[in-house]
Amino acid sequence: MSSDQEQIRTDDKKVDDLTKEVRKLKDRCESYTSTIFALRGFILVIANNISSKSTSLNSSIGRKMTPLNQSNKREPYTPDLVIQLTPTSGIIGEVKALICENKDDRWNSYLEQVKKYDEDLEGWWTQDERISEVCQVFITELTNSAEIGDYLLKKINEDGNSLAHQFAVVEYGRLQRGREFLFFRKRGGDMPEVISSIFHEGVSFPLEELVTERDEKKFYDAKPADVEYIMAILWQDIFTQKVHERDQESVIYDENRKTFLLVVHLDELTQLLQRVYGSEGRKPREPEYPKKKWVEDALEKFVEIGLAEHTTDKNEFVIFYKDYKNPLEQIIKMTHKRKRKPSPPTQQLSFLD
Amino acid sequence: MGIKYPDPIIAFEEFAQASDSDSSMEFFLENTLALDSPFVECREALIYFKKDFGEFLSSSRHLTRFILEKINNEPLAFRIRRVISGEKETITGVFIVLKSSVQHIYRLITVSRGSFWTETIRPFLRDLYPYVSIVFFRQKELEDALLSLEKSMMVQYPSKVKTSVIEVTSKSEQFVPGSNKKRSVATERSWTNLSLGDTFTDLQERGFWFKSIRVKIVISASYKSSSSQRAAIRLSKNGTFSCNGMYGYMRRFLITPLEKILSERMQLLEGRGIIEREYKPGPPLEIVYEGEVFTDSSKVRQFGEVIGRYQDAAIVVYHANPYFHANIADHRDGSSFELWVLSQNRILISPQATASAQALTRIINFIFDKFKEGVVDEFRSGAN
């Protein structure tokens, strides 16, 4: 094979690798969004089915719950969802869209979390913030539910792992019947009678309704798997707006770099994302997301790939903004290139210099 | 009968400069202006602007390709010069701006040949985005407006009025040769002499929708008037009108009712950004189609391909098939929204951090023009 042909093959492979990388990352981004839909959908399914039987349904996506045993003054737990079904019963839920491989029994960490949430927790919508009957629900995508569901249900029946409260595994997935639906079904375990039959048979919820009901939330109380997810949101929804909003004159165009110079501050940016797409954590027991660290990681990544730099204030950044046609792919290309590029060898200064 | 001026363009320009009020300008257009030169028409564009348009144009710091010189305050009148680099002559002319019957909608009017409108006014209006929005009308709205014009004229002149369509520029979906599934949108320009009703029926039966339509109106001679009146009126989906006579009728029976529709539409699109709603997002907007459009994944893919051609915007497509999810950021305005296709007859548009009515108009107009026209409304949870 000639060297030209070899070069073409190498280039094709690079493009191929990048295309696969883009596709995988987009799938993970969409998975994160699906998780937010699953959280909201689970709450709405329950609310729609029992609202006539109950005067109100208090619920929260992410809620700081305090272990009753405060002897060590532990940090509150923050389950992904908390739903109070009746004045005396409720649900604590965790959603896992992506499940790691069970190498070296890594799934034991999921079991440990289940056991952790099995404690009596304060933070319910009652006078003393306590209730007597709690069901813990582990919600996971259809592709994972069989294996992880069987694993957890088997483990909790073993000696030493038994739980004080009810536990169930619920699977969710997309269903297409003319419209797109999100489908939920109990994989195994026990749930309160008031909702058990709903999930036993399976229930679907139109995704169009969830687009409205999620209130444009792009985050929940778990860090996205890829920093590029936050980077794309920042570029598309925040930086573009700051650079191009009408009558905006404070952003300078740098003729040398051929980019706009946009100054942003980590704290302000974090607060903006929380207010628009997440949770500010201002109300009692309300968690904060996205966390400041997630946003900081995203900004540092922009610096790493040459799309930003620090100012003298370590929390302030100058973004080198350009109008990219496809910012997410551009960002992935640049981070991908950065990963593939080997670090230059450090050179020792000649003692003669 | 109008006073015959040697050149209606000069007459218009001189009156625009000398007039002392909007109402006298309106009177001139409706009663005095005689458009009896070939290819010279009274042309009008409806535009959406939320603040003082006169003040905005007077500052004109937003324009790079045009030079504006204010020649009158009331009516607001400007001489506009388009400078085309490399050419010795510049294209110049006069336009006026009058208020409409509704808030935030202005009428930009000129008396000119088609070339001035096409080569100066239309690019000028495009350059004014995102401050100014070029509007859009649905086919049904224009059909109803034209039929209403015809009816009003018949009431005014019983048995004396004849309306007919003389030219239609229309679009339809065509199969791409060699493919069963892929479609493109083809444009057809046709000359006819059918009635309004017959034209609309014909277009509907053949699966066409019109971009612009030119209608001839003839009012026969009567005991009141010894000669007949005739005029040709053109209207386009993008809110532009032109006529070579009967401006008063066009204004009263055609444009004014459409202004009200426009006002309601812009009110629907206003106040949608999350930040301006004090961080309390509202429901998404929807484009609803009569009948099923996204019947299979090829149609969803086709929609994705159309969106991919949206200019002056960043597009991130998260999912293209079998459902569609993308985020669009407008590079001219900073607005962003998400597009979803999750059912067979609806597109959802979810405004994000900022989402101006102008940016929403632009994306909706693009979808209507390049994909398919539907009905825009607010999505109601639980009603579907």
Side-chain angles (χ1 to χ4, degrees):
Chain A
M1 195 186 296
S2 70
S3 62
D4 282 347
Q5 282 173 321
E6 270 182 34
Q7 186 61 45
I8 290 168
R9 274 193 74 172
T10 309
D11 290 345
D12 283 349
K13 188 173 182 308
K14 277 185 195 164
V15 168
D16 225 20
D17 286 347
L18 181 60
T19 308
K20 282 182 191 163
E21 183 76 23
V22 167
R23 184 65 261 153
K24 278 188 204 165
L25 198 139
K26 280 188 183 179
D27 285 345
R28 289 195 294 270
C29 288
E30 201 62 348
S31 220
Y32 189 82
T33 309
S34 289
T35 307
I36 300 170
F37 282 152
L39 286 164
R40 201 76 193 105
F42 188 82
I43 292 173
L44 286 169
V45 159
I46 292 175
N48 287 353
N49 281 277
I50 72 165
S51 57
S52 58
K53 298 176 186 134
S54 173
T55 50
S56 65
L57 189 79
N58 286 300
S59 64
S60 184
I61 293 178
R63 187 167 173 84
K64 292 178 186 168
M65 305 291 280
T66 323
L68 274 182
N69 180 0
Q70 282 277 310
S71 57
N72 294 324
K73 298 258 187 242
R74 282 174 290 171
E75 284 293 309
Y77 301 154
T78 319
D80 289 338
L81 68 89
V82 180
I83 307 171
Q84 186 155 330
L85 298 173
T86 68
T88 55
S89 67
I91 292 178
I92 283 193
E94 274 289 303
V95 179
K96 301 281 181 221
L98 302 171
I99 301 283
C100 62
E101 269 187 57
N102 195 19
K103 223 174 162 183
D104 305 323
D105 199 26
R106 283 162 76 180
W107 286 2
N108 191 60
S109 62
Y110 297 130
L111 178 66
E112 290 305 313
Q113 190 178 49
V114 169
K115 282 155 76 172
K116 184 173 97 171
Y117 287 158
D118 193 50
E119 290 185 45
D120 287 325
L121 300 173
E122 261 181 11
W124 299 95
W125 292 271
T126 57
Q127 214 156 10
D128 62 357
E129 291 197 301
R130 297 174 192 187
I131 55 171
S132 50
E133 296 157 39
V134 177
C135 170
Q136 199 183 145
V137 177
F138 185 92
I139 307 170
T140 187
E141 272 194 329
L142 212 54
T143 42
N144 309 312
S145 59
E147 287 189 64
I148 187 68
D150 290 350
Y151 173 91
L152 288 172
L153 290 166
K154 180 169 174 267
K155 283 283 184 184
I156 62 166
N157 283 323
E158 286 173 6
D159 287 340
N161 286 334
S162 56
L163 303 175
H165 301 295
Q166 282 183 316
F167 174 77
V169 175
V170 169
E171 57 193 7
Y172 75 92
R174 287 185 194 267
L175 195 63
Q176 206 190 28
R177 277 195 302 225
R179 290 193 283 169
E180 291 280 326
F181 290 85
L182 208 54
F183 173 77
F184 296 92
R185 186 171 51 196
K186 188 178 78 173
R187 174 80 199 164
D190 302 307
M191 291 177 107
E193 213 178 296
V194 69
I195 57 168
S196 185
S197 60
I198 306 162
F199 289 99
H200 176 74
E201 291 154 12
V203 59
S204 30
F205 203 91
L207 221 42
E208 281 182 327
E209 309 273 333
L210 285 174
V211 165
T212 312
E213 293 291 343
R214 69 162 175 161
D215 281 345
E216 299 309 325
K217 297 299 175 204
K218 291 189 195 285
F219 296 96
Y220 72 107
D221 192 41
K223 190 178 177 187
D226 302 285
V227 70
E228 288 88 346
Y229 179 81
I230 305 178
M231 292 168 82
I233 291 169
L234 283 171
W235 203 271
Q236 276 285 86
D237 293 313
I238 307 297
F239 297 163
T240 303
Q241 179 248 324
K242 286 185 179 296
V243 168
H244 289 299
E245 65 185 339
R246 276 169 269 151
D247 302 325
Q248 190 291 111
E249 287 174 358
S250 61
V251 175
I252 304 162
Y253 185 74
D254 185 331
E255 283 294 342
N256 292 327
R257 284 184 192 274
K258 302 277 185 251
T259 71
F260 289 95
L261 304 178
L262 175 66
V263 179
V264 295
H265 197 278
L266 173 61
D267 290 337
E268 282 165 17
L269 214 52
T270 305
Q271 194 189 35
L272 183 60
L273 285 177
Q274 287 174 351
R275 288 189 90 178
V276 181
Y277 297 128
S279 171
E280 284 186 89
R282 286 185 183 210
K283 295 178 195 164
R285 299 195 177 276
E286 192 183 65
E288 272 183 49
Y289 48 81
K291 307 258 188 285
K292 184 170 156 179
K293 185 71 176 61
W294 305 357
V295 182
E296 188 181 5
D297 289 347
L299 291 171
E300 290 294 350
K301 199 58 155 183
F302 281 126
V303 173
E304 198 181 302
I305 60 175
L307 287 180
E309 68 183 15
H310 281 283
T311 66
T312 48
D313 177 349
K314 72 174 178 71
N315 284 330
E316 195 174 72
F317 297 76
V318 178
I319 307 295
F320 305 134
Y321 177 88
K322 254 185 178 170
D323 284 337
Y324 292 123
K325 182 72 181 171
N326 191 328
L328 177 59
E329 288 196 13
Q330 182 64 30
I331 288 165
I332 296 170
K333 212 187 286 187
M334 293 171 90
T335 54
H336 187 71
K337 199 171 162 183
R338 184 97 192 142
K339 274 184 212 161
R340 288 173 66 91
K341 197 175 166 182
S343 324
T346 45
Q347 284 182 318
Q348 217 171 18
L349 286 172
S350 163
F351 79 98
L352 294 172
D353 287 344
Chain B
M1 270 298 278
I3 300 165
K4 286 214 180 260
Y5 283 91
D7 186 333
I9 295 178
I10 293 173
F12 168 77
E13 292 185 3
E14 286 181 351
F15 202 90
Q17 190 156 8
S19 177
D20 59 2
S21 68
D22 285 7
S23 51
S24 64
M25 194 73 219
E26 295 269 16
F27 186 86
F28 170 80
L29 292 171
E30 291 186 23
N31 300 291
T32 314
L33 182 63
L35 294 160
D36 47 9
S37 292
F39 310 116
V40 175
E41 296 189 347
C42 181
R43 302 171 197 273
E44 181 165 331
L46 294 181
I47 53 180
Y48 176 76
F49 185 76
K50 283 195 80 177
K51 296 180 186 170
D52 186 315
F53 195 44
E55 212 175 279
F56 170 75
L57 286 182
S58 298
S59 66
S60 59
R61 58 193 165 86
H62 312 283
L63 305 168
T64 49
R65 297 195 293 164
F66 303 92
I67 298 166
L68 284 187
E69 177 204 342
K70 193 194 274 191
I71 59 173
N72 200 345
N73 272 319
E74 216 173 313
L76 195 57
F78 291 87
R79 181 170 300 283
I80 180 170
R81 211 179 311 272
R82 178 177 175 186
V83 182
I84 299 178
S85 59
E87 293 191 17
K88 285 182 193 165
E89 285 186 22
T90 59
I91 307 169
T92 178
V94 166
F95 70 85
I96 62 170
V97 178
L98 296 176
K99 291 195 173 113
S100 73
S101 58
V102 292
Q103 212 187 14
H104 304 316
I105 304 291
Y106 291 88
R107 301 147 54 203
L108 188 147
I109 301 170
T110 179
V111 171
S112 66
R113 291 183 175 78
S115 54
F116 172 68
W117 186 262
T118 312
E119 290 169 29
T120 302
I121 298 296
R122 271 184 17 198
F124 168 65
L125 290 175
R126 279 198 297 270
D127 277 14
L128 289 180
Y129 177 84
Y131 301 91
V132 164
S133 184
I134 295 173
V135 302
F136 67 89
F137 288 106
R138 289 176 44 236
Q139 173 120 340
K140 186 83 175 47
E141 289 163 350
L142 294 182
E143 283 180 5
D144 289 348
L146 281 167
L147 290 168
S148 171
L149 167 71
E150 184 180 53
K151 195 172 166 187
S152 301
M153 298 291 291
M154 281 174 171
V155 164
Q156 189 110 358
Y157 299 96
S159 311
K160 299 280 178 214
V161 174
K162 184 172 189 279
T163 52
S164 55
V165 176
I166 51 178
E167 186 192 306
V168 181
T169 303
S170 54
K171 287 188 166 192
S172 75
E173 283 185 305
Q174 303 283 325
F175 281 104
V176 171
S179 166
N180 281 336
K181 299 213 172 183
K182 283 195 178 176
R183 292 172 209 261
S184 68
V185 175
T187 305
E188 174 188 281
R189 197 169 171 204
S190 57
W191 292 264
T192 171
N193 194 24
L194 294 173
S195 69
L196 282 173
D198 286 345
T199 304
F200 299 148
T201 305
D202 174 61
L203 287 173
Q204 200 180 20
E205 283 172 357
R206 291 193 297 130
F208 277 74
W209 62 95
F210 64 77
K211 269 201 81 168
S212 70
I213 189 165
R214 195 167 170 82
V215 171
K216 184 172 75 178
I217 302 175
V218 178
I219 304 171
S220 312
S222 68
Y223 69 92
K224 286 183 189 171
S225 164
S226 58
S227 58
S228 63
Q229 296 179 64
R230 51 185 69 225
I233 294 174
R234 178 195 290 279
L235 60 158
S236 302
K237 286 276 184 73
N238 61 2
T240 57
F241 309 86
S242 65
C243 66
N244 60 6
M246 296 188 196
Y247 176 79
Y249 294 130
M250 185 173 85
R251 170 90 208 116
R252 210 172 316 142
F253 298 130
L254 186 66
I255 300 178
T256 304
L258 284 171
E259 286 169 357
K260 289 183 178 33
I261 292 173
L262 197 53
S263 177
E264 283 168 14
R265 173 167 303 125
M266 298 314 288
Q267 277 177 46
L268 174 71
L269 301 182
E270 273 291 342
R272 293 274 162 191
I274 296 173
I275 294 174
E276 71 178 306
R277 293 174 72 100
E278 294 178 8
Y279 305 95
K280 292 181 183 63
L285 295 164
E286 61 177 9
I287 298 175
V288 176
Y289 296 104
E290 205 178 283
E292 289 162 359
V293 169
F294 302 104
T295 44
D296 57 55
S297 55
S298 68
K299 208 63 184 160
V300 179
R301 262 200 306 273
Q302 185 200 345
F303 176 72
E305 283 161 13
V306 166
I307 292 299
R309 297 196 289 270
Y310 190 54
Q311 297 288 310
D312 294 325
I315 302 164
V316 176
V317 178
Y318 289 101
H319 213 279
N321 172 33
Y323 70 91
F324 185 82
H325 172 210
N327 181 295
I328 297 185
D330 189 312
H331 281 160
R332 305 264 310 264
D333 156 279
S335 294
S336 58
F337 17 78
E338 294 198 334
L339 294 184
W340 295 87
V341 175
L342 297 166
S343 65
Q344 290 185 336
N345 70 335
R346 183 176 15 251
I347 300 166
L348 292 182
I349 305 173
S350 282
Q352 300 297 294
T354 53
S356 66
Q358 289 90 323
L360 286 164
T361 301
R362 186 164 90 88
I363 183 71
I364 292 169
N365 202 10
F366 179 81
I367 292 171
F368 279 18
D369 190 37
K370 304 293 181 198
F371 182 71
K372 195 174 172 70
E373 188 182 285
V375 176
V376 181
D377 206 345
E378 189 174 89
F379 178 77
R380 278 171 193 82
S381 208
N384 307 282

